Amino acid sequence: RKYRERVRSIAELEAQGFMVPPRGRRLSTRRAASVPRPARSHGNGASAADRRRVQGAKRFRRSSDLNGCGRLWDMGVTSSSAISPPRALGNGNGSRPLAQIVDVFFNLSDFPAVEDGERILLVGQHDALGCWNTSEGLSFEKEKFGWTTRARLRPGDHVEFKCVVSGPLGDRWEEGGNRTLTVPPAMRVPLVVNLLWEGERPVDSWDDAEDEFDATLDKLKSTLDKLQAGSREEVAPEEEAGPAAQPEQPSGVAYEEPAQEFSFDSLVTAGEGEEVLKTSGTATEAWQGKEIVFMQSNDHSGDRRGLSWDTSRLEGGSCEEEVVLGDQTAPSWREKLEVVEGILCRGSPERKDLSPEAVSACSIYLSWISSGVISCAEGGGHHRPCRHAESSMRMFRSLEWGLEEASRGEKGSFTSVLIRRLFPLLPSFSSEFRASTPLTRIRDIAHRNDIPQDLKREIKHTIQNKLHRNAGPEDLVATERMLERVMGGDGEDYSEDFVQEFKRFTVELREFFSASSLDEQLLELQAGMGDEERGRIQSFLGAKAASSQGESSLSKLLSLMDETTGLRQVLCRALASGLRNDAPERAMEMRQKYRLCEIALENFAFTVASRALNAFGGSEATRSLEEVLALALVLQKCILHLSFNGFLQAECSAISNELLACDNSIRADTSNEESVRLCMLRLKACLDRTRRVCDSYRDSYLCAYADQADRLGRAFGQAVPEHAVKMYAESETRASMVFQCAKICQNLSKNVSRDFLKSDNHEWETLVAGEAQGSLVFFETMEDHTMAQNEGSVSGDKILLLRRATGDEEVSASGDGVKGVVLMHELPHLSHLAIRARQEGVVFATCTNEEEINKLMEGLVGKYVKMDASQQKVIVSETERPKVQQVVEPATTGGPAFHEAGGNGHRSLDIKKTSFLLAVGTRGSTRETCGAKAAQCGELQRMSADFPASPYKVPRGVCLPFGSMELVLDMQPRDARGQWEANLSKMDRLLGSNSGGQELDEACKSLREMIESLDVPRDFVDHSICSHFDPSGSLIARSSANVEDLKGMSGAGLYDSILNLDVNDPESVAEGVKKVWASLYTRRAVLSRHKAGIRSQSEACMAVLVQEMVASEHAFVLHTADPILSEEKERYVYAELVRGQGETLASGMQGTPYRLRIEKATGKVEILAFANFSEVDYSKDPFTQEPQRLVELGEKLCTLGEQLETQFGEPQDIEGALSEGSIYVVQSRPQE
């Protein structure tokens, strides 16, 4: 009824000559004849000559490009999403022709209720929009997410328009001023415009309408003039954009979501224009919530209708459930902060053991709140910001203590990174914000007499009252939008005093929301600092200002990066003392400022690193040595920033030291080509090590955020858009410093390998050369392949693509038909896995480049491929599958080590078991009584003793011969010997029936537990073993089985060695002996023997070699015939060297050892690689500091290898150690 009366009133006024504004919500009693008409007239559906615009069009702003389909513009006061039209086709060369006509798609969401017979129209002054005639306007069509229509405009067209609901009873125009749109002059793609229905506001009184009309009319001409000039200006792209805010997804809109598994290489190959930079942008830039509307009255709502929470998929009592249940009864920001406080503090003033799950859940929750994804509403009552500040102080205390705990040790915990993410999400608790009436400046601003009444009301109701009643992140966004407006955004010329006062308030509010700029934080912080610290800040600010003037060179950015890192290091040292339990409030306030400032410095360093990478350019072009060294130093600063975060700090510090040492080494002699090559090898080793740190960070981010964000997103329902959930973990990684480290590392690796090491195969490392064909199948581990083989899901010839390996796996024992292996990380060439692959003729290569791995994963997995691996290159390509492929049947008998050539007979494993429990010296050990390893050690001892000038020493030792374990079994109660024999028989039956999986695992586990629980007589261990060694030393218990160290089956790494046994503790030595016995029955050992043709597991016997443990400074593995080369391998000796014990080489730990190739005839040493294992500071290693020492060691190892090869009559696999200037040989076995 009111609507019909209003329509009739409008018609009567128009008939009498009165002018009705097009806004449809204000009616004027002033006659049109008395109002001067502007040059351009507008209308609302009646006569165009009698319509006039009453408020300037709001300025448009550029939004992000969705999926590359056109440019997306948000109009008016909306910030909704739209579906982009299909991508326009190119012209064949990748470019698009300039369009003469541009398709402009208008999408309307939050649309009005439409009655029968009514339709929604788009009407404007352009011919395509009906020239303000509703009968000729464009009609919106109903879609799932809203309404859409299309207009055909020309590039450069400037149009004004509005939305209107037209029906039999008249037209209902949306409120607000006319919208404006300028079609960019160089459009090659469709344009997408998002609109939000601005609603209709009923008229309360004719007098109010007339007053507003008069005030609006006075501002009309200046507003129009300014907007006409400004709207045609081209929008220049920002040089450095902040993290791209994801558009809000309307209900029913499908987005193509990227997979949660991502790689740094896939991220860094995007164009520079698509790069996500981390800057200290305003809150408005990151806002993804509802559009801010300036209010003339208190229209803030506590309505939360439409929201739903579902905790059915959350674990009961978990922190995730606590967050979601708490949010149901916490509409306001204050109440939401108290939910987080309850989790982080648990009602106690001190809680130092923050769990990573609790911290990450709170981080996700507060991030969504701060960006507006989860909206805040009125919570009822008046709660000033001091309440928020007090809660923040309590949480800050708990987080600081948690950070201290998480950062302990050399590795720290990733929880420290998660905790640091929370600090900027908490409000400031400075004393001025904890006062009973904080932020009072806005009250004085709202009562000024030099601003219009409507602006007063908007400031009062939108900001002042809301802020003092229920403050929330939306208040900062509203304030920044208002600041844009008072600084000229609405065309008004406000007094300078008012503008400056509003600026001061905005700065205060940013400080309260922990959103101050870096400069603001530093200038405030330096007031309480000493002269040295203030000088640091001034030096940084000077370098920052200098870098912003003109084009920044790489050297200038390196200087800025150095200043940034040094300043942050000063702040971190000040924070390193920790927070005392009785710290006063003033100390807490200062600590928060320090903490926020050092975090902001890391964010700024992120941007500087990005600029440095841009200045360096792409990796395709050849770069000078000076440019490579400068970017390497930028990387060093980035790594140093990571070391400040409390996670992998020792590793990051070691990498930083090595990068600096490498730079100094290169600059010392740039004229010597070989010296530069060695330094570049050293730099490459450091880059590979950096990449592993980046991978650890990436995996930790995914582990912490991916699944938890998904569970929380589902629990919050439609309140959280799906894309915000799916992209959370990736966006957090991309916004971290480790993202820049990965990008720089990738670019430098390519340049170093190609331009200085002359390698075209830097992404690959060939461990076993050759050619193989088979189906490319992906598994996480070799164990997964074994399980799939047992289930019958894979068969035939295959090439395995493995994500990780320990280095101790068996190739053939994992399953039949393995012809090749591609491993996704580095592995020592002489690790046990690589050795066994070489012995079995399995082609083996590693690949560390994720781009290459993605090509395999996405294009070749599941296809029949050919793998061609050489030292120069590795090629994996699709090939034709043989017409008849023979399926390899499991081998139950037969094997090169245990069958006579050409016969079917089983070769006997002749051994002699002892009848007494005793220990014999290694020089008295024989193959029949103690195994090949112990016998070989005895032979080495004799050789070393017979030749005083021998280049090596052998540690002393004793051996528990074959049969010792059985004798100890006989000493146990309850027929332990019978149980052991019964378990062996069961294992043989399982292997004979090709049964595996859980039954075999249980049988192996049962045998190991039985052996490890044996009671070995203490007196026997003390007198027969310990008494033979120096009481001040340590011992090592090593295996010497009758099925290892044999020609054709070395069994390297198949059985355990137990280190660091206390010679003064017989029980410790006994435990070591039992663990070596038990290693005879690990799953991989059992399967390996079965594959080798051993008919019964009872035939395998274990002797234990106990030796004095050498205090190894470096350990080495030496092959007297180069196993890497496919031809002329006998001409060279190949060696790998690591710091510490040799288990690093044998275990397959990720990293690269020192690699040497020595020509036997000339003694020429070639350094192939420098070591880069984690947790070692190689800047202090003598072989890295002085490569000549490595050359001299290579010459000695060559002499040693040739001597042992001659003595034993065949190529040898030698293990040894360096200690106090001497070379110790602990083992020598046949190489093949």
Side-chain angles (χ1 to χ4, degrees):
R1 180 176 57 81
K2 291 181 179 180
Y3 171 71
R4 293 191 184 95
E5 290 176 358
R6 191 169 124 212
V7 171
R8 282 197 296 271
S9 298
I10 293 174
E12 291 171 3
L13 289 170
E14 288 178 342
Q16 296 174 24
F18 287 89
M19 183 189 68
V20 181
R23 297 170 67 176
R25 68 185 181 110
R26 290 287 187 264
L27 303 179
S28 175
T29 57
R30 186 182 301 273
R31 291 186 179 273
S34 64
V35 180
R37 298 176 182 271
R40 305 171 69 183
S41 60
H42 309 277
N44 66 348
S47 173
D50 293 331
R51 306 295 178 256
R52 124 178 0 262
R53 171 182 172 179
V54 297
Q55 184 177 0
K58 297 183 181 293
R59 306 176 72 179
F60 60 83
R61 61 182 177 85
R62 185 174 180 177
S63 179
S64 58
D65 183 3
L66 282 184
N67 301 326
C69 300
R71 292 186 178 179
L72 180 64
W73 301 77
D74 288 346
M75 302 301 300
V77 293
T78 70
S79 180
S80 301
S81 298
I83 292 299
S84 299
R87 183 187 296 270
L89 297 177
N91 59 4
N93 60 2
S95 63
R96 295 185 175 91
L98 183 62
Q100 297 299 318
I101 297 295
V102 179
D103 287 333
V104 183
F105 292 83
F106 294 85
N107 298 323
L108 177 65
S109 60
D110 197 10
F111 40 86
V114 180
E115 304 292 340
D116 291 338
E118 291 183 329
R119 56 185 183 143
I120 305 178
L121 304 175
L122 188 75
V123 184
Q125 102 283 10
H126 195 277
D127 291 341
L129 304 180
C131 294
W132 294 111
N133 189 344
T134 55
S135 62
E136 296 179 9
L138 295 176
S139 179
F140 281 89
E141 299 295 330
K142 186 70 170 67
E143 298 290 348
K144 290 182 179 180
F145 63 90
W147 299 72
T148 186
T149 188
R150 183 183 69 171
R152 296 177 63 81
L153 304 175
R154 293 182 180 277
D157 277 354
H158 179 76
V159 297
E160 297 183 10
F161 61 96
K162 291 180 73 69
C163 298
V164 59
V165 177
S166 180
L169 298 179
D171 301 329
R172 290 184 285 143
W173 292 79
E174 64 175 345
E175 74 168 357
N178 293 347
R179 303 176 186 268
T180 63
L181 170 67
T182 299
V183 181
M187 284 296 295
R188 291 185 172 89
V189 291
L191 189 66
V192 181
V193 179
N194 289 324
L195 304 174
L196 183 68
W197 176 262
E198 294 189 16
E200 305 161 75
R201 190 166 184 174
V203 179
D204 297 328
S205 70
W206 293 100
D207 293 335
D208 289 344
E210 183 175 1
D211 292 342
E212 181 175 347
F213 182 79
D214 291 341
T216 305
L217 198 59
D218 293 337
K219 298 185 290 184
L220 178 60
K221 191 174 187 306
S222 61
T223 303
L224 277 175
D225 292 342
K226 180 167 288 189
L227 286 175
Q228 290 288 355
S231 62
R232 286 177 169 81
E233 296 176 358
E234 269 192 81
V235 180
E238 295 180 353
E239 292 183 5
E240 301 235 346
Q246 298 294 332
E248 184 176 343
Q249 179 178 351
S251 175
V253 177
Y255 279 77
E256 182 181 356
E257 299 292 357
Q260 204 44 246
E261 192 71 37
F262 71 96
S263 67
F264 282 117
D265 295 86
S266 63
L267 297 179
V268 302
T269 52
E272 293 301 330
E274 300 174 17
E275 180 184 342
V276 177
L277 296 183
K278 193 173 185 180
T279 63
S280 56
T282 64
T284 303
E285 293 173 349
W287 186 249
Q288 302 179 50
K290 297 179 180 178
E291 185 60 32
I292 301 300
V293 178
F294 296 123
M295 303 175 183
Q296 293 283 343
S297 60
N298 181 20
D299 292 337
H300 295 283
S301 173
D303 184 14
R304 305 180 81 196
R305 287 179 297 180
L307 299 180
S308 61
W309 297 264
D310 180 10
T311 59
S312 59
R313 301 185 182 183
L314 302 180
E315 182 180 350
S318 66
C319 54
E320 298 164 13
E321 184 186 52
E322 192 171 349
V323 165
V324 178
L325 292 177
D327 186 78
Q328 293 186 41
T329 57
S332 69
W333 188 44
R334 174 189 61 81
E335 293 167 302
K336 294 179 188 297
L337 286 174
E338 290 175 352
V339 170
V340 175
E341 180 187 348
I343 296 174
L344 297 179
C345 301
R346 297 294 181 192
S348 169
E350 178 179 349
R351 185 179 181 215
K352 295 187 177 182
D353 56 339
L354 295 177
S355 70
E357 295 78 17
V359 175
S360 58
C362 293
S363 177
I364 295 169
Y365 182 52
L366 289 182
S367 294
W368 285 344
I369 294 171
S370 296
S371 62
V373 172
I374 293 180
S375 60
C376 299
E378 292 279 3
H382 287 67
H383 303 280
R384 295 184 181 274
C386 55
R387 295 283 299 276
H388 307 67
E390 291 165 356
S391 177
S392 176
M393 177 181 282
R394 292 188 290 270
M395 285 187 282
F396 180 84
R397 185 190 298 270
S398 182
L399 289 174
E400 279 289 332
W401 284 332
L403 180 61
E404 182 181 355
E405 289 295 316
S407 303
R408 291 188 185 279
E410 294 186 347
K411 292 185 177 180
S413 165
F414 191 71
T415 306
S416 63
V417 179
L418 302 177
I419 291 175
R420 291 173 52 79
R421 182 67 181 88
L422 274 170
F423 286 116
L425 301 176
L426 301 179
S428 171
F429 50 81
S430 295
S431 57
E432 59 266 32
F433 303 127
R434 288 185 287 110
S436 58
T437 55
L439 298 168
T440 57
R441 189 186 302 273
I442 188 63
R443 180 184 60 194
D444 300 333
I445 292 174
H447 290 82
R448 292 178 67 95
N449 294 323
D450 57 350
I451 58 176
Q453 289 296 323
D454 58 344
L455 183 60
K456 278 187 180 184
R457 289 195 295 270
E458 288 177 343
I459 292 175
K460 179 178 180 179
H461 294 294
T462 308
I463 302 175
Q464 178 198 344
N465 290 349
K466 168 66 169 62
L467 187 64
H468 289 170
R469 186 173 57 248
N470 273 292
E474 64 277 2
D475 298 329
L476 179 57
V477 180
T479 302
E480 291 181 343
R481 294 273 175 85
M482 181 63 75
L483 179 62
E484 295 175 5
R485 178 177 168 186
V486 302
M487 292 179 65
D490 61 356
E492 280 293 325
D493 186 15
Y494 299 105
S495 70
E496 184 63 21
D497 289 342
F498 163 67
V499 173
Q500 291 302 321
E501 192 68 5
F502 202 90
K503 284 182 179 179
R504 294 188 188 97
F505 169 71
T506 305
V507 170
E508 290 178 0
L509 197 61
R510 284 176 180 169
E511 183 184 353
F512 172 68
F513 283 99
S514 299
S516 299
S517 69
L518 177 57
D519 289 8
E520 291 169 345
Q521 293 182 60
L522 288 173
L523 291 174
E524 181 184 6
L525 198 62
Q526 72 173 355
M529 286 183 162
D531 293 339
E532 182 181 354
E533 290 80 5
R534 284 200 297 269
R536 277 276 194 178
I537 292 178
Q538 292 303 320
S539 179
F540 164 75
L541 293 176
K544 183 171 178 281
S547 70
S548 62
Q549 298 174 0
E551 185 176 352
S552 297
S553 64
L554 191 56
S555 59
K556 186 182 293 187
L557 291 169
L558 175 58
S559 176
L560 176 58
M561 193 70 171
D562 187 57
E563 292 288 346
T564 307
T565 309
L567 180 56
R568 187 183 176 210
Q569 193 167 22
V570 168
L571 298 182
C572 289
R573 285 174 180 170
L575 292 165
S577 58
L579 182 65
R580 300 200 325 260
N581 293 349
D582 59 346
E585 294 179 349
R586 178 57 184 164
M588 294 269 290
E589 294 174 24
M590 187 57 64
R591 191 174 185 86
Q592 186 189 36
K593 292 177 181 179
Y594 268 71
R595 180 65 69 194
L596 292 176
C597 199
E598 66 94 358
I599 292 174
L601 282 168
E602 182 186 12
N603 298 344
F604 180 75
F606 177 101
T607 303
V608 177
S610 176
R611 294 171 60 191
L613 191 55
N614 291 340
F616 181 79
S619 59
E620 291 74 19
T622 301
R623 302 295 169 188
S624 67
L625 178 61
E626 189 63 33
E627 289 175 311
V628 169
L629 293 180
L631 190 60
L633 287 178
V634 172
L635 177 62
Q636 182 263 332
K637 306 302 178 187
C638 293
I639 290 293
L640 204 54
H641 277 280
L642 291 182
S643 71
F644 300 152
N645 292 342
F647 177 55
L648 300 178
Q649 53 267 51
E651 176 70 358
C652 292
S653 295
I655 294 174
S656 173
N657 293 339
E658 175 63 2
L659 284 169
L660 280 177
C662 188
D663 178 78
N664 294 333
S665 178
I666 294 178
R667 295 183 188 277
D669 186 7
T670 58
S671 59
N672 188 316
E673 187 174 332
E674 177 61 16
S675 176
V676 172
R677 187 191 77 86
L678 291 177
C679 288
M680 285 299 169
L681 275 177
R682 184 176 174 182
L683 177 57
K684 185 179 183 303
C686 202
L687 293 175
D688 291 340
R689 187 174 179 181
T690 303
R691 180 188 49 77
R692 294 200 301 270
V693 170
C694 295
D695 289 345
S696 296
Y697 262 87
R698 176 200 60 191
D699 295 342
S700 298
Y701 271 113
L702 288 176
C703 181
Y705 286 133
D707 292 340
Q708 193 169 61
D710 181 68
R711 291 191 296 268
L712 286 173
R714 293 175 183 272
F716 279 110
Q718 296 182 352
V720 180
E722 187 176 357
H723 71 270
V725 174
K726 295 294 185 183
M727 297 295 294
Y728 190 87
E730 181 176 342
S731 63
E732 287 293 312
T733 309
R734 291 178 64 124
S736 67
M737 178 60 78
V738 74
F739 178 63
Q740 294 296 353
C741 290
K743 292 176 63 178
I744 295 175
C745 194
Q746 180 186 8
N747 276 28
L748 280 177
S749 293
K750 289 182 178 179
N751 282 103
V752 167
S753 297
R754 183 190 63 230
D755 301 336
F756 297 95
L757 301 179
K758 310 302 179 184
S759 170
D760 295 327
N761 195 38
H762 57 275
E763 299 96 348
W764 294 84
E765 190 80 45
T766 301
L767 279 72
V768 182
E771 181 181 306
Q773 293 187 13
S775 298
L776 185 65
V777 290
F778 169 75
F779 294 100
E780 287 286 336
T781 63
M782 194 78 80
E783 181 70 17
D784 292 337
H785 169 243
T786 303
M787 295 175 62
Q789 182 82 17
N790 293 336
E791 295 169 358
S793 58
V794 291
S795 61
D797 292 346
K798 62 184 78 74
I799 295 175
L800 303 182
L801 179 59
L802 302 178
R803 187 175 299 280
R804 57 184 180 275
T806 64
D808 288 332
E809 296 88 347
E810 295 290 320
V811 180
S812 61
S814 72
D816 301 310
V818 178
K819 303 300 180 183
V821 176
V822 176
L823 181 62
M824 297 183 188
H825 61 76
E826 302 155 306
L827 195 74
H829 287 213
L830 300 185
S831 65
H832 300 316
L833 175 58
I835 291 174
R836 285 191 285 276
R838 193 173 296 115
Q839 292 172 340
E840 297 170 9
V842 176
V843 181
F844 198 164
T846 64
C847 182
T848 57
N849 184 280
E850 302 248 4
E851 185 176 350
E852 291 292 321
I853 291 172
N854 288 337
K855 291 179 182 178
L856 299 179
M857 293 284 288
E858 297 170 4
L860 294 177
V861 168
K863 298 180 180 179
Y864 197 83
V865 300
K866 175 183 177 181
M867 178 180 178
D868 188 359
S870 67
Q871 294 307 306
Q872 290 73 37
K873 60 182 178 180
V874 177
I875 299 176
V876 181
S877 58
E878 187 174 3
T879 188
E880 184 178 354
R881 184 187 297 269
K883 294 183 179 179
V884 179
Q885 182 187 359
Q886 181 179 0
V887 177
V888 181
E889 296 296 334
T892 55
T893 61
F898 300 99
H899 285 74
E900 299 292 341
N904 296 323
H906 182 266
R907 189 174 113 180
S908 175
L909 299 176
D910 294 330
I911 61 172
K912 296 180 180 178
K913 295 185 178 182
T914 180
S915 301
F916 304 96
L917 195 58
L918 54 82
V920 298
T922 51
R923 297 185 65 173
S925 301
T926 65
R927 288 175 177 262
E928 291 77 13
T929 60
C930 297
K933 181 182 292 185
Q936 200 88 332
C937 285
E939 182 65 21
L940 288 171
Q941 273 193 335
R942 283 190 294 271
M943 290 167 55
S944 176
D946 293 342
F947 299 96
S950 175
Y952 65 90
K953 299 179 180 180
V954 181
R956 72 177 68 183
V958 297
C959 185
L960 273 66
F962 295 136
S964 299
M965 182 182 71
E966 289 86 334
L967 291 175
V968 173
L969 279 168
D970 290 336
M971 297 177 184
Q972 310 303 307
R974 298 185 298 276
D975 192 19
R977 177 75 173 262
Q979 296 178 32
W980 171 68
E981 292 174 345
N983 280 330
L984 289 177
S985 299
K986 178 182 178 180
M987 189 177 295
D988 287 339
R989 289 195 302 272
L990 291 173
L991 293 170
S993 61
N994 290 326
S995 298
Q998 186 175 357
E999 285 185 287
L1000 182 61
D1001 287 342
E1002 291 176 353
C1004 292
K1005 181 181 178 182
S1006 176
L1007 273 171
R1008 291 197 307 273
E1009 290 177 348
M1010 173 183 291
I1011 300 302
E1012 290 180 7
S1013 65
L1014 295 177
D1015 183 15
V1016 181
R1018 178 187 176 92
D1019 291 343
F1020 163 73
V1021 175
D1022 191 9
H1023 296 292
S1024 299
I1025 299 178
C1026 298
S1027 61
H1028 292 278
F1029 299 99
D1030 184 349
S1032 63
S1034 298
L1035 304 179
I1036 178 173
R1038 306 173 67 200
S1039 64
S1040 182
N1042 62 337
V1043 284
E1044 66 173 329
D1045 286 7
L1046 303 174
K1047 185 175 178 61
M1049 184 182 178
S1050 70
L1054 201 57
Y1055 309 105
D1056 292 346
S1057 295
I1058 311 302
L1059 285 66
N1060 297 311
L1061 302 176
D1062 187 356
V1063 68
N1064 298 306
D1065 183 4
E1067 291 184 0
S1068 169
V1069 176
E1071 288 297 319
V1073 169
K1074 290 188 291 183
K1075 287 180 180 179
V1076 174
W1077 282 338
S1079 68
L1080 195 63
Y1081 304 113
T1082 61
R1083 175 189 175 91
R1084 59 191 177 90
V1086 169
L1087 289 175
S1088 178
R1089 292 193 296 269
H1090 180 65
K1091 283 287 183 181
I1094 296 178
R1095 293 175 178 173
S1096 174
Q1097 295 299 313
S1098 61
E1099 296 183 42
C1101 232
M1102 178 69 75
V1104 180
L1105 176 63
V1106 181
Q1107 292 177 293
E1108 62 180 356
M1109 192 166 176
V1110 179
S1112 175
E1113 298 159 5
H1114 289 82
F1116 66 86
V1117 174
L1118 178 68
H1119 280 200
T1120 60
D1122 191 335
I1124 311 303
L1125 297 178
S1126 56
E1127 298 178 358
E1128 298 184 327
K1129 57 177 61 181
E1130 290 79 10
R1131 288 182 53 192
Y1132 298 93
V1133 170
Y1134 178 83
E1136 291 187 347
L1137 180 77
V1138 294
R1139 282 185 65 176
Q1141 298 295 330
E1143 291 303 307
T1144 303
L1145 282 171
S1147 66
M1149 179 179 176
Q1150 289 191 34
T1152 302
Y1154 294 104
R1155 291 175 179 163
L1156 307 176
R1157 176 175 288 136
I1158 310 103
E1159 189 175 9
K1160 294 179 180 177
T1162 64
K1164 181 181 178 181
V1165 179
E1166 180 184 5
I1167 300 176
L1168 303 177
F1170 281 87
N1172 67 0
F1173 286 102
S1174 299
E1175 302 175 26
V1176 178
D1177 189 348
Y1178 287 102
S1179 66
K1180 302 174 183 178
D1181 190 289
F1183 293 125
T1184 296
Q1185 288 178 321
E1186 301 178 47
Q1188 183 59 32
R1189 291 192 179 188
L1190 205 54
V1191 173
E1192 294 170 358
L1193 174 64
E1195 295 170 349
K1196 294 179 180 179
L1197 293 179
C1198 182
T1199 302
L1200 168 65
E1202 289 187 276
Q1203 179 178 329
L1204 294 183
E1205 185 180 53
T1206 301
Q1207 179 69 28
F1208 292 112
E1210 59 183 340
Q1212 292 292 298
D1213 172 3
I1214 305 164
E1215 295 180 16
L1218 307 180
S1219 180
E1220 297 180 351
S1222 298
I1223 298 177
Y1224 285 81
V1225 176
V1226 298
Q1227 183 173 314
S1228 183
R1229 64 168 70 90
Q1231 185 171 323
E1232 298 295 337

